[in-house]
Amino acid sequence: MCGLVGYIGKNLSRAPIIKGLSRLEYRGYDSAGFACLNPGDNRLVYVKAQGQLHNLIKQFDQKPIDGHIGIGHTRWSTHGVASQENAHPQFDCYKTLSIAHNGIIENHHMLKEQLMQEGHLFSSQTDTEIVAHLLESLLQIHKKLLPALISLVNQLQGAYALVIILQAYPDQMVVIRKGSPLCIGIGQQEMFVSSDLLAFADITNKVLFLPDQSFALLGKELLELYDFSGAPLLPSIQEVDSAWINVDKNGYEHFMLKEIYEQKGAIYASLAFFRSISHQIWDQVGLTSEQVKNLESIHFLGCGTSWHAARIAQFFFEKICLMPARVMLASEFRYMPFFAEKNSAYIAISQSGETADTLEALRLVNSMHIANIALTNVASSTAVREADGFLLTHAGQEIAVASTKAFATQLAALYWFAHRIALEKGIINLYQFETAQEDILIAAEALENSIEKYKKIIVETYAPYYAQYKKFIFLGRHISYPFAMEAALKLKEISYLFAQCYPAGELKHGPIALIDAETPIFLFSSLDSLVYQKLLSNAQEVKARKGHLVVFAFEGQKELIQLADACFIIPTVNPLLAPLAMTGLMQFFVYHIAKVLDCPIDKPRNLAKSVTVE
Ligand code: F6R
């Protein structure tokens, strides 16, 4: 959430910062800014613009500022509307220091009041500006940077990543981390700072992930790391594998479309990886074989699409591992009573591994010393570093804000993991395990083939037709209910059309009153024969009230297919993998509805890829 980039070194900072910001724009894009120290006189100069990064870039024509130390930011507003004043960087009273910030300063009200009483003048509604004025005030008191910073970090509450440049310290950049991600790339006589290593991954693979509650002073060849009490820390610099980072659209109109098409490959790559680690899996996920054999329940935590993957996985674990599985929204989990269970494990699911709600939930589980595993797509993420163990999906970098291939690989990973646990527990044998792995590949084929089969009719007929409607009802039952929720979320976030999802059995308990000619009903079928019969009754209830029915059915489901006004027929797969088989077509369909409506598909309004605030 918010893109943050800093540079100090032998070269000028504007080009690497703007390049880095353009790679991070998916994290926030309602305003942008750049500040640097003018070479020669070290004067702080800046440019800010409302809207996307290209608006900022245009301003450099009139004001071509640059310097060897600079910071840049793309914003996703939390405090104060998206405007030039509220764009980062923010400044102190005399514009002698400049701050870019990611996160939230929770005690900003109290601090602002105090600073206003001291005579500080504010020019924005942001919580970030408070940090600038507070540091200004602390520098006057302490006279030196280090004690001022120690005092600063001990007064700020909340989760934040901060990058600061000061006229008085032209050879040093300050970076601070509490809760929000921040990493430093170490180059040849140059240092890069960012909220995501994607910003500089092509320049250096030597990275320091700033430890939580620490700050650093950076120079072109300087790296001093401190904890919040001011005690020096030894930086642990890692070499990261950035080969998988691909930030090009490869000829596709949108990243989302490219990522929809990458799904089969991503599932194959993930499965190949799981097969390769199958023997050491328990070391990797931080459990012993004994613990796995004794597991009596499993819990999932996640948000948004990752939560939907967990809701689907609940069916995998209960059916395959024969144990109760519970799913909690990470944003709710922390505020609910916690009943610690014996022989239990938590799986925190997060594409980015940086979602604040999920990380806080994971930290809570960790603090109770209950086994926990991060299932994520990003090996260098905070979730991987903080969980007892981890399982990595191999979807490759997901750039579009709407999650597609991450969701598909989460499903594949969870299906595989449920079988791996069942194998360890002796519930299934090796042959059944092998079959399950093959089933994943069959579902990946079905996912891709169904896109190919319906591509033409979706683009030419269905997408333009359904884009005319303003509201939709989505229905599913059993395992297809959480999938229908994911489908409704996907439509809402990229097309801004209203889509309400219900479990199909609930229709008759109220929502049936909504059926009219203006509200198409999307129904997602199931391959469980009993559930299918029940869904068929629900479809008949819709048709009896002259509802317009769009059906995602499976081969052989003749009765349902006949009831549909529009129908997609998907190859049959293992019933538990029905959602995975429907994934590609569902995403492709909603993508094209959004395209007809000319929506900014990769960067929908109000959203950001990585939600690092609670
Ligand atoms: C929707 C979407 C979001 C994320 C959610 C959690 O398409 O992408 O709902 O799934 O913000 O993000 P992660 O998985 O990174 O924790």
Side-chain angles (χ1 to χ4, degrees):
M1 183 138 294
C2 299
L4 197 64
V5 184
Y7 176 91
I8 180 164
K10 60 182 180 194
N11 294 317
L12 290 170
S13 62
R14 193 173 88 197
I17 287 177
I18 296 302
K19 186 165 107 189
L21 287 179
S22 68
R23 292 177 167 190
L24 300 191
E25 226 191 342
Y26 70 91
R27 294 174 76 98
Y29 33 79
D30 59 34
S31 49
F34 169 76
C36 64
L37 297 184
N38 207 29
D41 61 4
N42 291 330
R43 207 166 29 88
L44 185 62
V45 284
Y46 69 94
V47 173
K48 299 204 277 186
Q50 193 183 334
Q52 296 193 11
L53 189 61
H54 54 81
N55 293 351
L56 177 74
I57 295 169
K58 263 193 254 150
Q59 297 215 22
F60 291 125
D61 294 343
Q62 268 87 54
K63 211 174 164 188
I65 57 169
D66 211 343
H68 293 278
I69 170 168
I71 57 180
H73 191 263
T74 53
R75 180 166 182 249
W76 184 84
S77 327
T78 55
H79 293 77
V81 294
S83 66
Q84 199 167 0
E85 296 73 49
N86 289 337
H88 298 202
Q90 290 289 327
F91 309 96
D92 61 332
C93 293
Y94 299 101
K95 293 202 168 65
T96 63
L97 66 90
S98 176
I99 295 189
H101 165 217
N102 194 0
I104 293 179
I105 307 300
E106 284 171 359
N107 55 340
H108 69 276
H109 280 304
M110 191 269 283
L111 290 171
K112 188 168 183 175
E113 230 163 80
Q114 183 188 309
L115 289 160
M116 280 169 70
Q117 276 167 17
E118 285 175 24
H120 288 264
L121 295 174
F122 287 83
S123 49
S124 80
Q125 287 97 50
T126 62
D127 51 343
T128 308
E129 194 184 355
I130 282 116
V131 186
H133 290 275
L134 183 58
L135 184 56
E136 176 184 27
S137 175
L138 292 169
L139 280 166
Q140 278 161 13
I141 299 167
H142 294 281
K143 309 290 182 229
K144 286 195 171 145
L145 187 56
L146 205 59
L149 290 172
I150 296 165
S151 175
L152 177 80
V153 295
N154 284 294
Q155 292 190 48
L156 298 179
Q157 287 166 15
Y160 48 84
L162 297 161
V163 187
I164 308 171
I165 54 174
L166 309 96
Q167 277 186 182
Y169 298 89
D171 300 325
Q172 287 178 36
M173 174 178 284
V174 179
V175 296
I176 306 176
R177 174 183 180 212
K178 185 176 174 218
S180 294
L182 199 62
C183 52
I184 298 167
I186 295 126
Q188 298 284 335
Q189 296 190 333
E190 55 186 357
M191 299 277 180
F192 305 85
V193 179
S194 179
S195 42
D196 185 335
L197 67 89
L198 183 64
F200 53 74
D202 57 334
I203 308 176
T204 178
N205 67 345
K206 286 201 181 58
V207 180
L208 169 68
F209 294 99
L210 221 62
D212 198 26
Q213 309 213 19
S214 72
F215 66 90
L217 298 179
L218 303 181
K220 70 179 177 186
E221 285 177 308
L222 169 86
L223 199 178
E224 285 175 9
L225 186 64
Y226 300 92
D227 70 13
F228 275 9
S229 72
L233 297 172
L234 206 61
S236 150
I237 295 162
Q238 303 177 20
E239 293 209 355
V240 295
D241 175 12
S242 49
W244 63 289
I245 295 178
N246 176 356
V247 287
D248 291 326
K249 288 195 200 127
N250 291 355
Y252 287 95
E253 192 172 345
H254 294 102
F255 279 111
M256 183 174 175
L257 188 61
K258 170 179 171 254
E259 288 162 5
I260 288 172
Y261 275 111
E262 282 172 347
Q263 294 187 100
K264 180 176 148 189
I267 295 169
Y268 271 60
S270 298
L271 188 64
F273 171 71
F274 302 147
R275 281 182 150 140
S276 73
I277 57 154
S278 187
H279 290 298
Q280 322 82 283
I281 181 73
W282 309 125
D283 282 348
Q284 179 122 153
V285 299
L287 296 171
T288 62
S289 166
E290 217 38 45
Q291 266 178 304
V292 176
K293 286 179 182 136
N294 292 332
L295 264 184
E296 289 170 28
S297 65
I298 198 109
H299 298 257
F300 295 100
L301 301 165
C303 302
T305 291
S306 294
W307 178 69
H308 294 150
R311 292 284 306 263
I312 293 169
Q314 181 175 20
F315 291 88
F316 300 166
F317 282 76
E318 295 194 336
K319 185 91 196 261
I320 300 160
C321 304
L322 308 178
M323 62 182 168
R326 299 283 167 264
V327 184
M328 285 292 296
L329 275 169
S331 55
E332 293 289 318
F333 178 71
R334 287 176 76 196
Y335 311 103
M336 306 288 276
F338 189 98
F339 301 106
E341 282 173 26
K342 213 164 59 80
N343 299 331
S344 182
Y346 279 75
I347 302 182
I349 306 177
S350 172
Q351 185 283 128
S352 59
E354 301 294 353
T355 300
D357 288 319
T358 310
L359 287 178
E360 286 305 330
L362 179 68
R363 285 171 188 145
L364 179 63
V365 175
N366 233 327
S367 71
M368 305 277 183
H369 306 291
I370 298 171
N372 58 78
I373 303 161
L375 172 64
T376 175
N377 193 36
V378 183
S380 55
S381 62
T382 307
V384 168
R385 290 196 297 279
E386 294 196 6
D388 289 346
F390 58 89
L391 186 60
L392 287 178
T393 48
H394 278 51
Q397 180 79 25
E398 193 180 63
I399 301 271
V401 164
S403 185
T404 52
K405 58 179 180 168
F407 173 70
T409 51
Q410 283 167 351
L411 294 186
L414 290 160
Y415 188 77
W416 181 85
F417 195 46
H419 281 88
R420 187 63 189 82
I421 291 177
L423 180 67
E424 199 71 9
K425 279 172 155 298
I427 298 169
I428 60 167
N429 59 32
L430 204 53
Y431 173 74
Q432 289 166 306
F433 182 60
E434 292 294 338
T435 308
Q437 301 191 109
E438 289 309 310
D439 285 346
I440 295 173
L441 300 180
I442 293 169
E445 286 286 337
L447 177 157
E448 189 164 286
N449 292 346
S450 9
I451 301 178
E452 280 317 301
K453 181 171 164 194
Y454 290 103
K455 193 172 166 177
K456 194 165 170 341
I457 193 164
I458 285 179
V459 174
E460 291 174 2
T461 312
Y462 289 152
Y465 178 74
Y466 289 101
Q468 299 174 80
Y469 289 91
K470 298 276 171 280
K471 54 192 167 79
F472 298 81
I473 294 174
F474 280 48
L475 298 177
R477 220 172 157 137
H478 192 254
I479 201 167
S480 79
Y481 169 51
F483 181 75
M485 288 199 279
E486 169 61 9
L489 173 66
K490 215 89 302 172
L491 180 67
K492 281 182 272 206
E493 64 182 334
I494 62 168
S495 71
Y496 317 145
L497 295 171
F498 186 84
Q500 178 77 42
C501 182
Y502 290 105
E506 276 295 296
L507 199 60
K508 56 190 175 296
H509 297 291
I512 203 160
L514 293 172
I515 295 177
D516 63 18
E518 269 76 58
T519 317
I521 295 173
F522 282 39
L523 185 142
F524 297 91
S525 188
S526 163
L527 278 162
D528 178 295
S529 51
L530 185 61
V531 176
Y532 169 68
Q533 288 306 326
K534 301 291 169 197
L535 267 169
L536 199 53
S537 309
N538 302 137
Q540 271 150 353
E541 289 158 15
V542 171
K543 287 316 296 173
R545 285 154 188 88
K546 301 200 169 38
H548 182 101
L549 200 58
V550 180
V551 167
F552 284 68
F554 290 91
E555 282 168 355
Q557 297 186 328
K558 270 202 266 104
E559 308 90 328
L560 187 60
I561 292 165
Q562 273 161 16
L563 284 175
D565 296 284
C567 187
F568 303 108
I569 306 167
I570 293 152
T572 53
V573 293
N574 181 295
L576 287 174
L577 291 170
L580 185 57
M582 289 188 280
T583 293
L585 192 62
M586 172 279 278
Q587 295 162 342
F588 187 84
F589 188 17
V590 301
Y591 165 85
H592 278 285
I593 291 178
K595 190 164 173 247
V596 170
L597 295 171
D598 206 19
C599 294
I601 295 178
D602 284 337
K603 295 176 194 161
R605 71 180 177 211
N606 304 337
L607 293 177
K609 181 74 183 157
S610 180
V611 187
T612 55
V613 291
E614 277 184 75

